[in-house]
């Protein structure tokens, strides 16, 4: 049986403000989905809601991982169940070496019933696997001795996220603008690395404004989010159209969602001022 992540009529609010207004999306393991849309349309909010960020309140709808109710799981339980998110702006963890972090996280994902204090993956086995993945990703081995994201450049943070993806091998991975802040060569390497790591083993939801990250990860489905919901779904051609032409056609085709987008943008402007 193929693993399935199913999102049904999802509504999400942040500090009482509605952001998602009825998202429906089904991802099967082995599929690649691209999620595109203007800034503020709710793309990152969807990722945070799936992963259980406490600031993102689910007010209606459901999220299912096969027959498990994701909304009843704590964030760490969702990770152990096989959900992963590469953040657009990852947090730094001073004092915690990347290798130590990965050893604990990898052990917990592979042994979801493990209690804190119980045995970790044997050090020699872990080091061999991590070294192999780092060589595949063209990463300096000294990188693993640094504190997690502490003093990392934007590109280094994104590569650290991809290394986590490689080691944890989740069932479903959400990549939140992994291409942001990277130059063309770095995006190309990231795209190639994600393809080699993911393949048929993961369901990928790639949140992006551009098509470079999709170069080695052509989407089975491309979705357009506007006004807090997915308004149109297509394939690679839709992703290319959005990259080259923007969202004018989408706004004209879905005036109700465009009106919600305008209200959301006006409220954001008022808060900022």
């Amino acid at each position: 049986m193929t693993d399935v992540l199913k999102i049904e009529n999802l509504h999400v609010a942040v500090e009482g403000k509605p952001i998602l207004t009825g998202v429906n999306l089904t991802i099967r393991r082995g599929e690649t989905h691209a999620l595109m849309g203007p800034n503020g349309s709710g793309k990152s909010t969807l990722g945070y809601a799936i992963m259980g960020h406490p600031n993102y309140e689910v007010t209606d709808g459901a999220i299912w991982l096969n027959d498990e109710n994701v909304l009843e799981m704590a964030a760490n339980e969702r990770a152990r169940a096989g959900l992963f998110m590469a953040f657009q702006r990852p947090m730094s963890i001073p004092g915690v070496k990347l290798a130590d972090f990965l050893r604990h996280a990898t052990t917990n994902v592979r042994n979801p019933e493990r209690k804190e204090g119980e045995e970790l993956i044997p050090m020699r086995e872990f080091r061999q696997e991590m070294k192999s993945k780092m060589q595949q990703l063209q990463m300096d081995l000294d990188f693993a001795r640094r504190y997690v994201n502490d003093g990392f450049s934007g590109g280094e943070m994104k590569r650290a996220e991809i290394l986590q993806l490689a080691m944890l091998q989740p069932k479903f991975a959400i990549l939140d603008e992994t291409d942001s802040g990277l130059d063309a060569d770095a995006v190309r390497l990231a795209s190639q690395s994600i393809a080699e790591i993911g393949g048929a083993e993961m369901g990928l939801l790639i949140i992006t404004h551009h098509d470079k990250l999709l170069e080695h990860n052509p989407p089975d489905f491309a979705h357009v989010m506007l006004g807090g919901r997915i308004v149109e779904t297509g394939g690679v051609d839709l992703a290319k159209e959005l990259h080259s032409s923007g969202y004018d056609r989408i706004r004209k085709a879905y005036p109700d969602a465009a009106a919600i987008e305008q209200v959301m943008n006006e409220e954001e402007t008022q808060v900022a001022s």
Side-chain angles (χ1 to χ4, degrees):
M1 175 181 171
T2 301
D3 292 303
V4 178
L5 179 64
K6 189 171 185 178
I7 299 155
E8 299 178 325
N9 191 36
L10 191 68
H11 290 67
V12 176
V14 178
E15 296 181 349
K17 177 186 174 183
I19 303 296
L20 300 186
T21 57
V23 174
N24 293 282
L25 179 63
T26 298
I27 305 173
R28 292 171 178 81
R29 196 169 180 177
E31 293 178 347
T32 297
H33 292 242
L35 183 62
M36 307 177 78
N39 288 331
S41 57
K43 303 184 298 298
S44 296
T45 295
L46 176 60
Y48 285 125
I50 292 171
M51 294 307 303
H53 193 297
N55 292 347
Y56 293 76
E57 179 190 3
V58 175
T59 57
D60 197 4
I63 304 174
W64 297 95
L65 177 56
N66 299 324
D67 58 352
E68 295 184 272
N69 185 348
V70 172
L71 296 180
E72 293 181 352
M73 301 178 184
N76 65 310
E77 293 172 334
R78 300 182 195 201
R80 290 186 184 219
L83 301 180
F84 173 91
M85 183 170 178
F87 296 98
Q88 186 176 351
R89 298 179 184 86
M91 289 182 63
S92 62
I93 312 178
V96 178
K97 291 182 180 179
L98 181 58
D100 294 336
F101 173 80
L102 282 173
R103 189 180 177 207
H104 277 77
T106 303
T107 302
N108 290 338
V109 166
R110 295 181 187 178
N111 182 13
E113 303 303 318
R114 172 186 175 270
K115 301 294 189 295
E116 192 58 41
E118 294 180 354
E119 287 188 8
L120 299 171
I121 297 173
M123 180 60 77
R124 183 173 181 178
E125 176 186 334
F126 171 76
R127 282 178 173 170
Q128 288 177 340
E129 183 175 354
M130 185 178 66
K131 181 179 179 181
S132 173
K133 297 297 186 184
M134 294 184 77
Q135 289 174 337
Q136 179 184 0
L137 297 172
Q138 301 179 35
M139 297 177 68
D140 190 315
L141 298 180
D142 287 338
F143 194 78
R145 300 188 182 96
R146 296 171 63 183
Y147 297 148
V148 179
N149 294 324
D150 189 27
F152 284 18
S153 67
E156 287 174 331
M157 287 184 181
K158 301 305 172 67
R159 296 180 75 189
E161 295 282 277
I162 295 173
L163 177 60
Q164 292 175 45
L165 180 67
M167 292 297 297
L168 298 179
Q169 287 291 308
K171 295 174 183 175
F172 296 94
I174 304 158
L175 308 181
D176 187 9
E177 298 195 26
T178 302
D179 49 354
S180 66
L182 302 183
D183 61 30
D185 289 339
V187 172
R188 189 172 296 109
L189 176 60
S191 176
Q192 184 176 349
S193 300
I194 292 165
E196 291 175 356
I197 292 165
E201 300 303 316
M202 298 179 198
L204 294 177
L205 179 62
I206 301 176
I207 300 172
T208 182
H209 284 290
H210 310 292
D211 62 349
K212 294 300 182 185
L213 200 61
L214 305 176
E215 181 179 353
H216 295 282
N217 303 277
D220 299 291
F221 302 94
H223 311 279
V224 189
M225 184 170 277
L226 185 70
R229 62 186 177 90
I230 293 172
V231 295
E232 190 167 313
T233 294
V236 175
D237 289 344
L238 177 58
K240 291 180 178 177
E241 175 203 336
L242 297 174
H243 174 66
S244 61
S245 303
Y247 298 97
D248 285 347
R249 179 188 68 79
I250 298 295
R251 290 188 175 99
K252 290 177 182 177
Y254 305 95
D256 291 346
I260 293 173
E261 178 200 23
Q262 184 174 354
V263 171
M264 292 169 67
N265 288 339
E266 289 173 352
E267 290 177 348
E268 189 69 28
T269 301
Q270 290 173 1
V271 170
S273 60

